[in-house]
């Protein structure tokens, strides 16, 4: 499910430039996906002289509690849809987008950004990386937003946006980047929507 918002062309281009994204406007229909270093899955379509932006509305889902996390022991959960597997991990070093008292708890897709290989077994706690991938050796730095550091992938590992409340409950609230195999993270591939 998405929410939509109409903006004029000038606002759209400013917004796109702020994201350092690549935008190509054409005569109609879906014209661009706003992309950049931290894409949120925003898409755009030209309607007359207006550009319609569509923002994905991610669910808030409790996925664990601070009290349950052990350093070096990833916890797995599906988000935003069943089958979209992710891992939650306490890195024991500060991380971009990290939560918790030490800012070191992060979550990422467990599917390699290259061709979707499962990466459940290749977490390296000493270095805070995920990889090398069992298929083509891609490796991602979990302290740096899943930055691709080696192998055939050409993009970051998708990162789950996390929030922690006063009782230590950890919620998933969104996703940076596109999960492998999905044209949109919230799109149901069984034909529903
Ligand atoms: S599927 Fe992981 S590097 Fe190719």
């Amino acid at each position: 499910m998405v929410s939509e918002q109409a903006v004029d062309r000038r606002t759209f281009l400013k917004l796109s430039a702020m994201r350092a994204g690549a935008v190509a406007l054409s005569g109609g229909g879906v014209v661009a996906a706003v992309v950049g270093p931290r894409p949120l899955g925003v898409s755009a379509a030209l309607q007359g002289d207006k550009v319609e932006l569509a923002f994905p509305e991610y669910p808030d889902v409790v996925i664990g509690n601070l009290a349950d996390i052990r350093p070096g022991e990833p916890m797995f959960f599906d988000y935003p849809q069943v089958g979209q597997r992710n891992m939650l991990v306490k890195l024991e070093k500060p991380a971009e987008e990290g939560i918790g008292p030490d800012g070191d708890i992060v979550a990422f897709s467990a599917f390699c950004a290259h061709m979707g290989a499962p990466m459940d077994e290749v977490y390296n706690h000493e270095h805070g990386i995920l990889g090398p991938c069992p298929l083509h050796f891609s490796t991602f730095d979990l302290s740096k937003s899943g930055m691709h550091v080696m192998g055939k992938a050409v993009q970051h590992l998708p990162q789950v946006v996390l929030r922690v409340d006063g009782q230590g409950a950890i919620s998933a609230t969104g996703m940076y980047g596109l999960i492998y195999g999905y044209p949109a993270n919230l799109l149901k591939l069984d034909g529903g929507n």
Side-chain angles (χ1 to χ4, degrees):
M1 180 179 293
V2 296
S3 64
E4 295 188 351
Q5 178 180 341
V7 298
D8 60 32
R9 273 176 196 254
R10 178 175 298 183
T11 303
F12 174 67
L13 291 173
K14 272 174 60 181
L15 198 157
S16 303
M18 282 165 49
R19 288 186 172 280
V23 177
L25 293 177
S26 63
V30 175
V31 293
V34 178
V35 297
R38 305 291 286 155
L40 286 163
V42 181
S43 62
L46 194 59
Q47 303 293 343
D49 62 350
K50 298 285 187 187
V51 177
E52 299 282 343
L53 300 184
F55 297 90
E57 291 183 354
Y58 284 95
D60 281 15
V61 178
V62 175
I63 56 169
N65 192 285
L66 291 179
D68 300 328
I69 301 180
R70 303 283 173 266
E73 297 180 14
M75 296 168 60
F76 292 90
F77 64 98
D78 286 1
Y79 183 86
Q81 302 186 65
V82 173
Q84 293 170 327
R85 186 169 168 81
N86 306 280
M87 56 176 284
L88 176 74
V89 67
K90 180 175 175 61
L91 297 178
E92 292 191 297
K93 64 177 179 179
E96 293 177 9
E97 309 285 343
I99 62 158
D102 303 316
D104 63 348
I105 296 171
V106 289
F108 289 88
S109 174
F111 300 137
C112 180
H114 177 225
M115 292 179 65
M119 299 186 78
D120 301 22
E121 306 294 332
V122 293
Y123 171 60
N124 181 321
H125 185 65
E126 180 183 358
H127 298 293
I129 58 175
L130 191 61
C133 171
L135 288 193
H136 315 101
F137 311 114
S138 286
T139 300
F140 305 90
D141 188 334
L142 303 188
S143 69
K144 293 187 168 53
S145 305
M147 183 174 70
H148 169 235
V149 294
M150 189 180 82
K152 285 195 169 183
V154 294
Q155 58 193 19
H156 287 16
L157 195 62
Q159 182 168 13
V160 182
V161 182
L162 300 176
R163 184 184 63 225
V164 62
D165 71 14
Q167 282 69 52
I170 300 169
S171 297
T173 65
M175 196 99 194
Y176 292 119
L178 203 53
I179 299 168
Y180 180 82
Y182 288 80
N185 291 339
L186 297 175
L187 188 70
K188 296 195 184 308
L189 297 184
D190 59 6
N193 199 5

